[in-house]
Amino acid sequence: MLLSELVAASEAVRATSARLQKIDALAVAIGRLAPDEAAAGVAFLTGELRQRQIGVGWASLREAPAAAAEPSLTVGEVDAACERIGALAGPGSQAQRRAALATLFARATEPEQRFLRGVLTGELRQGAQAGVMVDAVARATDLPRTAVRRALMLRGDLGAVAAAAIADGAAGLDAFGLEVGRPLQPMLAAPAADVADALARVHPAAVEFKLDGARVQVHRRDEEVAVFTRSLDDVTARVPEVVEAALALPARSLVLDGEVIALAPDGRPQPFQVTAARLGSRRAVAELRHTVPLTALFFDVLHVDGEDLLDRPGAERFEALAALVPEAQRVPRGVAEDAAGAAAILDDALAHGHEGVVVKSLAAPYEAGRRGAGWLKVKPRHTLDLVVLAAEWGHGRRRGWLSNLHLGARATGGEGFVMLGKTFKGLTDAMLEWQTAKLLELEAARDEWTVHVRPELVVEIAFDGVQTSPRYPGGVALRFARVLRHRPDKRAEEADTLDAVLAVAPRAG
């Protein structure tokens, strides 16, 4: 398939805001891909490389050769070129990489060059997010969306899923299973106004402490252990305590879901920034494990000794967890018969310094990669995970720092983000310094006062209420919003939706 066909589909997607039209354009392009080029083609359409990274940034792309007059590049040729470029290493590799890029770009037309720049730098902003791509693969292959989503949940690579669907249809998707050592996208919790609201929506239910730690997924096969973050990054070498805890469990193979958290000597949680800094550190790990030890606490098990538990009800998965993991290594929980019982567990969690509870259905399966209805989080203060869309330069003592943040929720049932307001409150000097550097990395455009950024940085926002506002496209704005913390461990697609904002709104304040 010619690369120009993918470029045309990408431009058609960018030109429309209608979700169905995006899906149609992508499905037509995906349907033309051969099985051996499907993984690369779908990756390109999502704005990524099949190889993820090949050592190419903006500096390598500043001086492109003149564009070709007619399209001739195929998807397979571009993928093969990227594979060769990514394999270059050692003395002289930078010059070789630039030469290979020049050769590739010399064969690309002007639209193809723009497309390749976007893919290579991760800035192909066309509005084809994960949900749209899943629907497009399902339509192109005439397979159920649920089957494509489940295969993606298990494989974690939409290109590989599309290739299997194109080559072998439903049988190709059915072949995907949970593989120990390959992380799954984690199941997420939606917000609830209070425990009564949560129990009205999920019953019967367990109520677990909501820890202010960092999500981890632990895989063990015999004596090999791998630890992944919620963004599926491998952090095994940074958390020897977690590795040792997993090896001590009575199983040969397992997949556990839980959190790591830095606890003070009295057992109360350290501030989240302490946990995040320890988990993010690649140096002096042997020393840090003594000065800032991490504790692993687990709340779910997805696989034990050859048996997958994803589709088991929550109650059965917890029974398996309790049989495998000692109580001291499990997140505290209880079964609530009513709101009063759930409130008592919430009070206990708060008394121990944790941030709230998660109300979990005893009947629901594990819905990896989704913010499903089976898990609902309750905190005493109303908070949302929002995405920074832009930031304004500060004044006075904040001059030189990006301060006032433009906050957006994910659009419900569509693509993009809906702005809910601005805030500069809650930011310490250290937070201002960090966010300025981070947002400048994400810069997409700017004017005299404002730097507009790629919507990637998630922030946890506390607020006192929601009010109607004609200023913003969602018709609402947050009252007294303030930043609690940056969440670089979360992806933008994990941010809360406008529906989540509206669901909390009636009881906020």
Side-chain angles (χ1 to χ4, degrees):
M1 178 179 181
L2 288 174
L3 179 66
S4 59
E5 296 181 67
L6 291 190
V7 174
S10 177
E11 291 179 345
V13 168
R14 181 182 287 108
T16 180
S17 60
R19 180 183 176 89
L20 292 179
Q21 291 181 18
K22 292 177 186 286
I23 292 169
D24 285 341
L26 292 167
V28 169
I30 293 169
R32 294 174 180 165
L33 291 165
D36 62 352
E37 61 187 8
V42 169
F44 292 161
L45 286 172
T46 58
E48 298 178 345
L49 297 173
R50 183 179 58 80
Q51 299 83 4
R52 303 299 185 190
Q53 299 289 334
I54 60 170
V56 172
W58 276 114
S60 304
L61 301 170
R62 284 175 184 161
E63 297 181 5
E70 298 292 335
S72 64
L73 277 172
T74 67
V75 171
E77 287 173 333
V78 175
D79 182 55
C82 291
E83 189 73 25
R84 290 192 298 271
I85 292 169
L88 295 172
S93 60
Q94 185 173 1
Q96 292 174 349
R97 189 174 292 116
R98 286 182 173 166
L101 280 171
T103 300
L104 175 63
F105 271 68
R107 291 191 56 197
T109 64
E110 186 175 345
E112 290 172 339
Q113 287 190 353
R114 289 197 302 270
F115 180 83
L116 288 172
R117 284 192 188 93
V119 172
L120 289 167
T121 60
E123 296 186 11
L124 185 69
R125 303 183 64 184
Q126 60 184 16
Q129 294 181 340
V132 168
M133 289 299 300
V134 167
D135 285 350
V137 170
R139 182 168 299 181
T141 56
D142 197 26
L143 294 170
R145 182 180 188 275
T146 53
V148 176
R149 177 179 283 280
R150 180 172 176 80
L152 176 60
M153 171 191 80
L154 294 168
R155 180 62 177 86
D157 183 333
L158 186 57
V161 169
I166 290 171
D168 299 311
L173 298 186
D174 290 343
F176 289 109
L178 187 154
E179 181 178 325
V180 178
R182 187 170 63 202
L184 292 79
Q185 295 178 348
M187 183 171 176
L188 305 173
D194 50 40
V195 290
D197 173 45
L199 284 178
R201 294 154 61 184
V202 175
H203 190 79
V207 183
E208 288 182 354
F209 284 19
K210 188 179 189 310
L211 308 186
D212 198 13
R215 188 82 172 264
V216 291
Q217 192 177 119
V218 179
H219 291 237
R220 174 184 169 186
R221 181 186 289 112
D222 296 325
E223 301 307 306
E224 296 183 3
V225 174
V227 184
F228 303 94
T229 66
R230 66 183 298 142
S231 56
L232 311 188
D233 294 320
D234 189 331
V235 293
T236 309
R238 307 178 206 172
V239 287
E241 307 99 314
V242 181
V243 173
E244 292 168 5
L247 289 173
L249 297 176
R252 300 305 301 176
S253 67
L254 55 82
V255 177
L256 295 168
D257 195 358
E259 301 228 354
V260 291
I261 188 168
L263 299 175
D266 63 359
R268 295 177 68 83
Q270 300 265 33
F272 173 77
Q273 289 80 359
V274 175
T275 296
R278 165 61 209 278
L279 187 64
S281 178
R282 294 177 172 85
R283 299 180 179 179
V285 172
E287 178 182 347
L288 285 171
R289 68 171 299 181
H290 297 293
T291 57
V292 188
L294 290 175
T295 298
L297 295 169
F298 301 106
F299 51 71
D300 217 324
V301 57
L302 312 181
H303 174 94
V304 180
D305 287 337
E307 184 176 5
D308 292 346
L309 306 179
L310 286 166
D311 295 326
R312 297 284 190 88
E316 291 186 24
R317 296 200 312 277
F318 181 75
E319 288 179 7
L321 180 73
L324 177 68
V325 179
E327 184 176 5
Q329 293 174 262
R330 301 197 305 264
V331 173
R333 77 181 245 160
V335 175
E337 298 296 333
D338 52 31
I345 299 173
L346 172 60
D347 290 342
D348 191 23
L350 298 176
H352 282 82
H354 299 293
E355 62 178 4
V357 293
V358 181
V359 178
K360 294 186 174 181
S361 167
L362 296 178
Y366 190 94
E367 298 179 280
R370 297 189 63 189
R371 197 179 291 276
W375 291 5
L376 300 172
K377 57 186 176 183
V378 180
K379 303 179 185 180
R381 60 185 174 188
H382 297 284
T383 67
L384 293 166
D385 292 328
L386 302 177
V387 175
V388 179
L389 306 179
E392 299 170 10
W393 292 106
H395 304 280
R397 64 178 301 275
R398 291 192 174 190
R399 184 178 299 277
W401 282 337
L402 288 171
S403 176
N404 201 19
L405 301 178
H406 297 204
L407 304 170
R410 287 191 296 123
T412 302
E415 302 302 314
F417 299 89
V418 180
M419 188 170 173
L420 298 175
K422 308 176 185 181
T423 189
F424 55 82
K425 297 179 179 178
L427 294 164
T428 64
D429 286 356
M431 294 170 74
L432 284 164
E433 182 177 2
W434 183 89
Q435 83 176 19
T436 299
K438 182 63 177 179
L439 292 175
L440 289 176
E441 291 177 8
L442 300 176
E443 180 178 350
R446 69 166 68 190
D447 54 35
E448 184 178 1
W449 302 110
T450 306
V451 174
H452 300 271
V453 299
R454 302 195 303 275
E456 297 179 15
L457 177 61
V458 177
V459 289
E460 185 176 359
I461 299 294
F463 62 102
D464 289 354
V466 176
Q467 62 190 18
T468 58
S469 173
R471 293 184 58 190
Y472 299 116
V476 295
L478 301 181
R479 295 179 62 246
F480 304 112
R482 60 251 183 221
V483 180
L484 294 179
R485 54 181 171 168
H486 301 109
R487 294 304 305 257
D489 58 317
K490 289 191 174 184
R491 298 170 298 169
E493 52 264 40
E494 296 176 22
D496 286 307
T497 64
L498 180 60
D499 268 359
V501 178
L502 298 177
V504 176
R507 294 181 175 86

